[in-house]
């Protein structure tokens, strides 16, 4: 038997499968998707088996056998192995990078160098050893093998002696591949097999052993295994009490594997399906039909905020589970949407696994193993949960499908929406993309125009819509406030007069307020008011951010930090202002304007701690605060009945970003945050403060008019050759020296233009822009240049671009140039 193995050496030369012999002894342990240790050059490295075959076309003499099998059950299914290949071709990454992205971090290999004692060839050779060396050999021998590093530590200062032992071949080096994370074990107390005997033993114990008696009595009443720590806490006893009983054989203490459950300490109120509204019913029955009929179909569900999309998801999943199939639910960033977890756990309880970035490595690993073992049928999680190793998927839901977090920014630069479609097509599953503000890309795919578009090699979407809120609740009234006008009237505060009055009114009525301040919108930097000096990172082309709590100014790209400044380094003026984070300033101002106001601030500074989102949101839900103030994280998914006022303090902050999607992002953000108001009985009101009140994205958002926005934006995109009409590939080059970067950029652009001309002659449309400096022109002392490719026509461009990029191979190797290619980029920085 032969195996094709993708090795864990991410480089172009090794980006193919290598053949290995499957030794007889490992045959039962190796399948497609298994992780194995294979000899590769002088080392043993980790690899993934991607194919098994009875024969090989390689020279069999030269093939080496697989050294180890690393798993009892392969962590990847054959489907995921195939998907890995698809991702590597579509998004131009090494296949091993794609495969690695699909397994939990806990399983990423850690290589350890161990030593082992080599049996001496002749007897007596040992006698030439120094006593200290004999001691070392003895130490290793007793332990079978010892990690080199810990041996060095143990015999500190004897490094040369150890090296000599290795050189003389008395110690041999072995490389072990270890998982980063092991399963968690807990000492567990088991009652004796023969419960009848407990009574006798209890009598046998003397009066002084009251505690031990108590333990046995407890076991008699509750004869099920119990975690030692739980038992100790319950009976208020010490471990030695239990150990004493174990020593007498009256109970058993054993290590038992436990699952780390991030939600273990919480209970979720079970919920029953709600009777659906007519709009919900229509959408639901269409989705249900596809799930039951195993149609591989992608639905775009356009439902306004508060239209009850979640209930539709829940009932659709129920019908998927009723079919005996599994479901994946993606949310943009789960730590921002604890309410979603609550709703899913409430409906499906133990059948739900949760995967998000705030979990520890161990917790993620355990949630993942619940999936592997088929203990759960529903996964809810952030982007990478799309790789859940289910084998019978019936439905994939992507909530807030327009969010940029669904595109991974580092390699593999996949988009979860596309991966979802690929997986669904394999399983014959349905996909539901839900949003109140669908991305233009998704909307385009529901149009007849897309059907005739050759660059849309991907399936067309079916549009479903829910245009009204549940129970006929109105969408909130939105007022646009022109902040220039406020200034003219002498109002220098960050609150317009209208918003000020509205907040005052809500405080009076004991209703709640959500305030959004996009972080980028307000000054977080350090500026000299005398000369205009702005503190910048010495390594990156970006201003430093002030952190009030630690009195430092820091770079958000490279982590560079220095103490806050008391005088200007340029002009020595003391009028240097440290602007606190925007939200901090708003909080201060609220306190001044409305004494006694209770504000919860949610931003990166207040939510670093695990579980902090939940904590703040619970406080707010219990009405222990009047105002929830925060960055984008307060805009999404929250559903609180007493919120009747929403204020967007600086609506145009996103609009000014150098990105062709700036208008779309502004529309989305405003629509989302406005959607937080008046979701229940009480009607809502929204204030949008802006310096560009005439911009179409703001005007249409204020009217809740997605269609008008979409039409206008589509026109502009078409005119400027942007997605969804053209597709993009962004190539970013980085190097420490600008001249080399410029030269390389030109070489690449010329090569790309040649390709473009060839294609355009044969009826394609391909433009090459650049090379130009990237919007962020330097990070960590490396300058950045980019080329952008816009194209239409059939979609084999990615491969051509990769080929073109190979003209830079030599420079990459010899001068340490980096080239990164982003297919369908979401961020152009
Ligand atoms: P969306 O995600 O579309 O913004 P939600 O799913 O959060 O909306 O629903 C808004 C509110 O309406 C929630 O409080 C939800 O419990 C409620 N809701 C949803 N469907 C129904 C229904 N059929 N009957 C009554 N209330 C519903
Ligand atoms: Zn100055
Ligand atoms: Zn920096």
């Amino acid at each position: 038997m032969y195996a094709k193995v993708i090795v864990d050496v991410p480089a172009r030369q090794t980006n193919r499968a290598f053949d290995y012999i499957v030794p007889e002894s490992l045959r039962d342990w190796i399948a497609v998707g298994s992780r194995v240790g294979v000899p590769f050059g002088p080392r043993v490295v980790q690899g993934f088996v991607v194919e098994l075959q009875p024969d090989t076309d390689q020279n069999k003499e030269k093939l080496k056998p697989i050294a180890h099998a690393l798993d009892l059950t392969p962590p990847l299914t054959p489907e995921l192995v195939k998907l890995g290949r698809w991702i590597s071709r579509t998004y131009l990454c090494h296949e091993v990078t794609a495969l690695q992205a699909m397994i939990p971090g806990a399983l990423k290999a850690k290589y350890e160098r161990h030593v082992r004692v080599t049996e001496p060839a002749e007897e007596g050779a040992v006698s030439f050893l120094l006593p200290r060396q004999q001691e070392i050999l003895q130490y290793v021998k007793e332990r079978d093998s010892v990690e080199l590093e810990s041996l060095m530590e143990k015999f500190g200062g004897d490094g040369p002696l150890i090296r000599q032992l290795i050189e003389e071949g008395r110690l041999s080096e072995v490389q072990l591949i270890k998982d980063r994370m092991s399963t968690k074990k807990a000492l567990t107390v088991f009652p004796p097999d023969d419960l009848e005997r407990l009574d006798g033993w209890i009598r046998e114990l003397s009066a002084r052993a009251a505690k031990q008696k108590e333990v046995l009595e407890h076991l008699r009443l509750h004869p099920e295994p119990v975690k030692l720590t739980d038992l100790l806490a319950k009976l208020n006893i010490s471990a030695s009490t239990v150990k004493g009983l174990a020593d007498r054989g009256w109970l058993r203490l054993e290590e038992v594997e436990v699952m780390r459950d991030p939600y273990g300490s919480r209970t979720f109120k079970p919920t029953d399906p709600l009777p659906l509204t007519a709009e919900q019913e229509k959408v639901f029955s269409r989705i249900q039909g596809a799930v039951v009929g195993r149609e591989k179909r992608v639905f775009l569900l356009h439902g306004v905020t508060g239209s009850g999309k979640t209930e539709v998801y829940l009932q659709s999943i129920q019908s998927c589970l009723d079919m005996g199939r599994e479901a994946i639910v993606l949310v943009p960033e789960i730590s921002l949407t604890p309410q979603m977890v609550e709703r899913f756990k409430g409906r499906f309880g133990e059948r739900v696994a949760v995967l998000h970035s705030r979990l520890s490595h161990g917790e993620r690993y355990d949630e993942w193993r619940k999936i592997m073992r088929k203990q759960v049928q529903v996964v809810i999680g952030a982007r990478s949960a799309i790789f859940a190793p289910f084998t019978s998927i019936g439905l994939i839901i992507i909530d807030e499908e327009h969010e940029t977090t669904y595109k991974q920014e580092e390699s593999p630069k996949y988009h979860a929406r596309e991966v979802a479609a690929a997986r669904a097509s394999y399983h014959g599953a349905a996909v539901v993309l839900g949003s109140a503000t669908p991305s233009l890309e998704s909307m385009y795919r529901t149009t007849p125009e897309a059907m005739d578009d050759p660059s849309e090699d991907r399936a067309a979407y079916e549009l479903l819509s829910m245009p009204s809120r549940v129970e006929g609740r109105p969408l909130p009234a939105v007022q646009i406030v022109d902040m220039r006008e406020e200034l003219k009237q002498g109002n220098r505060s960050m609150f317009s007069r209208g918003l000020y009055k509205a907040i005052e009114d809500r405080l009076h009525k004991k209703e709640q307020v959500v305030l959004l301040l996009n972080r980028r919108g307000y000054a977080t930097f350090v500026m000299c008011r005398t000369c205009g000096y702005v503190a910048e990172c010495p390594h990156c082309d970006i201003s430093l951010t002030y952190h009030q709590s630690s009195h430092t100014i820091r770079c958000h790209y490279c982590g560079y930090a220095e103490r806050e400044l008391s005088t200007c380094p340029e002009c020595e003026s003391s009028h240097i202002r440290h602007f606190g984070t925007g939200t901090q300033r708003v909080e201060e101002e609220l306190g001044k304007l409305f004494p006694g106001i209770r504000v919860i601030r949610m931003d990166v500074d207040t939510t670093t701690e695990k579980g902090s989102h939940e904590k703040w949101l619970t406080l707010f839900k219990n009405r222990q605060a009047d105002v929830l103030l925060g960055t984008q994280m307060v805009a999404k998914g929250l559903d609180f009945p007493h919120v009747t006022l929403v204020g967007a303090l600086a609506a145009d902050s996103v609009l000014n970003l150098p990105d062709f999607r700036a208008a779309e992002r502004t529309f989305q953000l405003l629509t989302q945050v406005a959607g937080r108001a008046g979701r229940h009985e009480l009607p809502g009101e929204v204030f949008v403060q802006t310096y560009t009140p005439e911009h179409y994205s703001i005007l249409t958002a204020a009217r809740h008019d997605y269609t008008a926005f979409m039409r206008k934006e589509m026109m502009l995109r078409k005119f400027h050759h942007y997605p969804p009409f053209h597709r993009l590939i962004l190539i970013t080059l980085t190097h420490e020296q600008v001249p080399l970067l410029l030269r390389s950029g030109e070489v690449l652009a010329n090569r790309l233009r040649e390709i473009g001309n060839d294609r355009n002659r044969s009826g394609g449309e391909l433009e090459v822009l650049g090379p130009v400096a990237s919007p962020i022109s330097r990070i960590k002392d490396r300058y950045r240049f980019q080329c952008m490719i816009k194209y239409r026509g059939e979609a084999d461009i990615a491969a051509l671009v990769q080929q073109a990029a190979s003209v830079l191979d030599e420079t990459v190797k010899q001068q340490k140039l980096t080239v990164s290619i982003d297919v369908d980029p979401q961020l152009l920085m």
Side-chain angles (χ1 to χ4, degrees):
M1 186 82 95
Y2 299 88
K4 288 196 180 296
V5 175
I6 300 282
V7 293
D8 184 14
V9 182
R12 177 171 308 184
Q13 299 76 14
T14 52
N15 189 27
R16 62 179 180 87
F18 292 87
D19 284 30
Y20 286 90
I21 299 165
V22 181
E24 193 61 47
S25 59
L26 291 182
R27 234 170 238 195
D28 293 335
W29 302 106
I30 289 178
V32 170
S34 294
R35 289 181 312 149
V36 289
V38 290
F40 196 77
R43 302 181 293 154
V44 172
V45 301
Q46 181 187 272
F48 292 90
V49 175
V50 295
E51 236 179 286
L52 281 173
Q53 11 176 251
D55 205 355
T56 172
D57 48 13
Q58 306 283 308
N59 181 352
K60 288 177 191 154
E61 306 286 293
K62 287 203 175 150
L63 293 186
K64 292 181 191 156
I66 290 175
H68 327 277
L70 298 178
D71 308 286
L72 295 182
T73 329
L76 294 174
T77 61
E79 181 231 341
L80 289 174
V81 168
K82 242 177 91 180
L83 186 68
R85 175 158 308 167
W86 177 82
I87 288 176
S88 81
R89 302 229 164 115
T90 309
Y91 296 103
L92 306 179
C93 67
H94 303 304
E95 209 167 325
V96 71
T97 311
L99 295 174
Q100 292 281 23
M102 299 182 191
I103 58 172
L107 292 184
K108 306 246 157 83
K110 188 172 87 180
Y111 297 98
E112 282 182 2
R113 292 165 73 199
H114 284 233
V115 288
R116 206 170 251 160
V117 175
T118 329
E119 289 310 320
E122 322 147 28
E123 291 294 315
V126 175
S127 57
F128 296 111
L129 291 173
L130 298 167
R132 187 70 171 161
Q133 286 185 313
Q134 287 187 19
E135 208 180 306
I136 294 171
L137 284 182
Q138 191 57 33
Y139 179 83
V140 175
K141 201 165 184 174
E142 275 166 14
R143 284 159 184 79
D144 187 37
S145 83
V146 175
E147 199 188 344
L148 194 55
E149 237 168 70
S150 74
L151 190 68
M152 301 276 205
E153 230 164 71
K154 164 89 188 152
F155 295 91
D158 292 330
L161 292 184
I162 296 174
R163 169 155 333 146
Q164 200 183 10
L165 286 171
I166 295 174
E167 277 165 8
E168 288 175 1
R170 291 177 200 276
L171 281 178
S172 59
E173 252 191 271
V174 277
Q175 191 171 41
L176 296 189
I177 305 172
K178 286 262 174 83
D179 289 345
R180 271 177 211 279
M181 183 65 52
S182 48
T183 54
K184 187 173 163 189
K185 301 234 165 95
L187 270 178
T188 304
V189 180
F190 288 84
D193 294 332
D194 189 359
L195 285 171
E196 306 283 298
R197 301 187 59 186
L198 274 174
D199 282 329
W201 291 333
I202 290 170
R203 262 178 269 125
E204 217 174 291
L205 282 168
S206 73
R208 272 181 299 142
K211 290 281 179 192
Q212 293 197 331
K213 258 190 193 159
E214 212 180 316
V215 173
L216 293 185
E217 262 154 14
H218 180 85
L219 285 182
R220 188 173 53 178
L221 288 177
H222 311 276
E224 58 275 358
V226 52
K227 250 170 54 185
L228 179 62
T229 46
D230 290 350
L231 188 71
L232 299 186
K234 202 170 200 171
L235 303 181
N236 193 19
I237 52 174
S238 71
S240 61
T241 310
V242 180
K243 291 244 169 66
L245 289 167
D247 290 343
R248 300 174 79 159
W250 292 359
L251 52 76
R252 272 188 304 127
L253 262 180
E254 260 175 47
E255 293 264 13
V256 171
E257 186 186 317
V258 291
M259 291 284 188
R260 286 156 278 219
D261 183 352
Y263 296 92
S265 58
R266 300 217 2 224
T267 49
F268 295 91
K269 218 168 49 216
T271 63
D272 290 324
L274 297 169
L276 296 178
T277 65
E279 276 180 14
Q280 284 174 322
E281 181 61 43
K282 208 166 143 210
V283 167
F284 165 69
S285 64
R286 186 64 198 96
I287 297 171
Q288 186 189 36
V291 170
V292 172
R294 299 199 169 199
E295 289 174 48
K296 28 182 155 167
R297 187 169 290 279
V298 182
F299 296 103
L300 177 61
L301 170 54
H302 177 205
V304 297
T305 56
S307 59
K309 292 186 285 294
T310 314
E311 189 59 35
V312 172
Y313 300 155
L314 290 167
Q315 299 199 17
S316 304
I317 290 172
Q318 187 60 57
S319 59
C320 167
L321 298 182
D322 292 345
M323 297 268 300
R325 306 187 78 193
E326 298 148 335
I328 299 176
V329 183
L330 298 188
V331 292
E333 171 44 66
I334 200 151
S335 52
L336 305 185
T337 46
Q339 281 196 329
M340 277 299 248
V341 173
E342 207 171 293
R343 288 180 180 179
F344 278 78
K345 286 262 189 184
R347 189 67 55 88
F348 302 114
E350 298 276 292
R351 305 180 76 179
V352 181
V354 181
L355 290 172
H356 63 77
S357 58
R358 285 296 176 91
L359 300 184
S360 69
H361 261 321
E363 287 169 341
R364 273 185 83 84
Y365 179 43
D366 287 352
E367 292 291 293
W368 179 84
R369 283 188 304 146
K370 286 188 203 160
I371 304 168
M372 286 293 279
R373 297 173 176 182
K374 309 230 170 281
Q375 289 168 341
V376 294
Q377 290 76 42
V378 181
V379 165
I380 171 165
R383 180 181 59 228
S384 65
I386 195 61
F387 299 122
F390 280 143
T391 50
S392 172
I393 300 173
L395 179 60
I396 301 176
I397 288 166
I398 303 186
D399 190 32
E400 312 284 4
E401 68 89 30
H402 60 275
E403 287 289 336
T404 48
T405 54
Y406 288 126
K407 176 83 161 51
Q408 177 149 302
E409 290 304 320
E410 63 279 359
S411 188
K413 301 183 181 186
Y414 67 92
H415 200 301
R417 203 161 51 204
E418 308 305 327
V419 175
R423 290 202 76 181
S425 135
Y426 178 95
H427 288 273
V431 178
V432 177
L433 309 173
S435 174
T437 52
S439 65
L440 268 79
E441 280 90 338
S442 294
M443 208 50 177
Y444 179 65
R445 287 204 224 171
T446 67
T447 62
E449 188 169 352
M451 319 265 168
D452 304 327
D453 182 344
S455 32
E456 286 302 326
D457 49 340
R458 303 161 293 191
Y461 294 172
E462 181 175 329
L463 184 63
L464 302 173
S465 52
M466 302 202 295
S468 34
R469 282 187 160 182
V470 170
E471 298 185 343
R473 294 166 196 153
L475 285 161
V478 180
Q479 292 207 35
I480 301 175
V481 185
D482 185 344
M483 290 306 272
R484 297 169 304 190
E485 205 50 43
E486 292 288 315
L487 201 64
K488 267 193 215 149
Q489 304 290 324
N491 177 12
R492 297 181 166 276
S493 141
M494 52 181 85
F495 300 101
S496 58
R497 289 159 301 171
L499 180 57
Y500 176 90
K501 280 219 188 69
I503 296 176
E504 200 174 36
D505 172 63
R506 294 322 187 274
L507 288 175
H508 184 68
K509 290 198 216 145
K510 306 223 170 337
E511 293 173 2
Q512 290 180 300
V513 182
V514 168
L515 293 178
L516 167 79
L517 179 68
N518 193 294
R519 199 180 159 72
R520 291 184 212 259
Y522 266 57
T524 61
F525 52 87
V526 182
M527 195 176 86
C528 170
R529 299 177 96 182
T530 309
C531 75
Y533 162 87
V534 172
E536 284 187 353
C537 174
H539 311 287
C540 309
D541 180 40
I542 182 176
S543 46
L544 293 171
T545 303
Y546 176 48
H547 284 244
Q548 198 177 41
S549 48
S550 58
H551 300 287
T552 51
I553 45 181
R554 294 170 175 278
C555 170
H556 275 193
Y557 287 100
C558 73
Y560 171 86
E562 57 180 88
R563 285 194 60 76
E564 62 183 311
L565 304 168
S566 53
T567 55
C568 171
E570 296 274 296
C571 75
E572 296 184 3
S573 152
S574 59
H575 291 290
I576 186 140
R577 275 270 322 252
H578 290 76
F579 295 94
T581 54
T583 42
Q584 259 170 0
R585 286 179 56 208
V586 179
E587 187 181 15
E588 281 164 25
E589 178 122 353
L590 279 170
K592 271 187 222 143
L593 293 175
F594 307 101
I597 194 169
R598 298 168 304 166
V599 180
I600 289 178
R601 178 161 63 88
M602 262 176 73
D603 57 28
V604 284
D605 292 331
T606 65
T607 53
T608 45
E609 226 173 276
K610 204 171 155 179
S612 46
H613 291 93
E614 280 92 338
K615 189 179 78 190
W616 295 129
L617 295 178
T618 309
L619 275 178
F620 193 63
K621 183 175 166 188
N622 296 339
R623 302 175 74 189
Q624 285 164 291
D626 311 301
V627 176
L628 177 64
L629 159 69
T631 51
Q632 278 98 322
M633 55 181 91
V634 303
K636 291 163 198 165
L638 306 180
D639 184 30
F640 297 112
H642 295 279
V643 173
T644 58
L645 174 65
V646 164
L649 297 180
D652 13 37
S653 54
V654 180
L655 204 51
N656 297 325
L657 295 179
D659 190 321
F660 72 90
R661 289 192 182 89
E664 187 181 4
R665 300 247 159 84
T666 300
F667 179 84
Q668 287 163 348
L669 189 60
L670 291 179
T671 306
Q672 291 297 332
V673 74
R676 298 313 109 210
R679 295 168 67 85
H680 294 255
E681 285 76 34
L682 301 166
E685 189 183 15
V686 180
F687 285 82
V688 172
Q689 302 189 161
T690 169
Y691 290 91
T692 46
E694 64 289 339
H695 195 276
Y696 67 96
S697 63
I698 291 174
L699 286 172
T700 50
R703 292 199 312 260
H704 308 290
D705 195 346
Y706 174 82
T707 311
F709 169 76
M710 195 254 303
R711 291 226 172 97
K712 167 101 186 170
E713 184 70 13
M714 284 279 192
M715 236 168 55
L716 290 171
R717 299 279 182 91
K718 193 167 186 173
F719 182 75
H720 292 294
H721 290 189
Y722 277 123
F725 300 93
H726 279 62
R727 291 179 64 183
L728 303 181
I729 297 178
L730 180 71
I731 310 177
T732 305
L733 308 180
T734 78
H735 196 267
E736 285 167 6
Q737 286 154 17
V738 173
L740 180 133
L741 211 46
L742 260 177
R743 264 199 319 277
S744 308
E746 288 297 342
V747 168
L748 176 65
N750 288 339
R751 185 78 199 90
L752 288 168
R753 289 200 172 95
E754 280 168 34
I755 293 178
N757 290 340
D758 283 353
R759 275 183 55 88
N760 293 349
R761 264 195 297 279
S762 56
E765 264 181 72
L766 187 149
E767 299 161 61
V768 180
L769 308 180
V772 293
S774 305
I776 297 166
S777 63
R778 187 169 57 131
I779 294 181
K780 295 186 195 175
D781 285 326
R782 294 180 73 88
Y783 293 91
R784 310 170 76 238
F785 270 73
Q786 64 184 32
C787 284
M788 172 100 79
I789 296 157
K790 295 176 169 180
Y791 68 95
R792 254 175 101 76
E794 70 295 2
D796 57 348
I797 299 294
L800 286 177
V801 168
Q802 192 171 36
Q803 245 176 47
S806 68
V807 299
L808 297 176
D809 275 0
E810 280 305 298
T811 329
V812 168
K813 238 203 269 149
Q814 283 165 17
Q815 318 261 8
K816 300 218 166 75
L817 174 79
T818 68
V819 178
S820 110
I821 306 178
D822 192 350
V823 178
D824 300 337
Q826 283 290 318
L827 291 176
L828 304 176
M829 311 298 258

